[in-house]
Amino acid sequence: MVKCTYCGNDAELVTGERIYPHRPDLYALNFWLCAPCDAYVGCHKKGANIPRIGKSDGTLPLGSLANAELRMWRQAAHSVLDPIWQSKQMGRRDVYRKLAKHLGIRYRKCHISLFSIDRCRKAIEFLKKEFPASH
């Protein structure tokens, strides 16, 4: 069970049809949802091999629940980070390692899906300064 970080209630396991009714391609995926807070997070696909955990049953959250404001900040962070590795300027893992070092967190904890708004802001600021040509 996943607890809502905003209200403390249990989140509900739902399908993508509830979260993204306009995206039939996501209907089969699972999400944890706290409807009163409009906070949700996707799940690792069923059968995905998760380090230190094993095979996913399709209900393991990809990160932490995020409300609309946090989702906006996480999307903004991805819009800065992803072009760096997608352009092959630096490998994805290397970008995350560099970011983790700058943020003072362990590499394994350096995933945008776990970031707070403040951490997203710091990541965006650092990545724009460190990789100015990517933007």
Side-chain angles (χ1 to χ4, degrees):
M1 186 55 57
V2 173
K3 290 268 185 209
C4 178
T5 52
Y6 299 98
C7 70
N9 289 327
D10 290 338
E12 174 187 8
L13 187 64
V14 300
T15 66
E17 186 171 7
R18 176 120 173 244
I19 303 292
Y20 296 105
H22 59 288
R23 296 276 313 268
D25 57 312
L26 300 178
Y27 284 9
L29 299 179
N30 287 328
F31 293 80
W32 288 101
L33 168 69
C34 178
C37 296
D38 186 33
Y40 55 86
V41 63
C43 296
H44 288 276
K45 290 182 180 175
K46 187 174 184 172
N49 192 21
I50 312 302
R52 298 175 313 282
I53 294 174
K55 295 264 186 215
S56 169
D57 65 357
T59 68
L60 182 67
L62 287 163
S64 63
L65 288 167
N67 65 11
E69 184 181 14
L70 181 53
R71 287 192 302 273
M72 189 248 346
W73 278 101
R74 287 179 178 176
Q75 289 167 0
H78 268 294
S79 73
V80 175
L81 185 141
D82 293 349
I84 298 164
W85 64 265
Q86 288 170 343
S87 70
K88 310 255 191 265
Q89 185 175 352
M90 182 180 269
R92 185 172 185 234
R93 287 182 181 164
D94 293 331
V95 176
Y96 270 106
R97 276 187 177 72
K98 190 170 199 145
L99 181 57
K101 184 175 181 179
H102 173 76
L103 295 173
I105 60 175
R106 293 177 50 206
Y107 168 72
R108 289 185 179 141
K109 297 288 183 182
C110 191
H111 296 281
I112 292 173
S113 65
L114 297 171
F115 284 8
S116 65
I117 291 172
D118 184 56
R119 191 163 278 167
C120 286
R121 285 184 179 133
K122 288 176 181 172
I124 291 166
E125 181 182 326
F126 170 73
L127 292 168
K128 283 183 173 181
K129 190 171 115 186
E130 192 71 19
F131 300 94
S134 298
H135 313 291

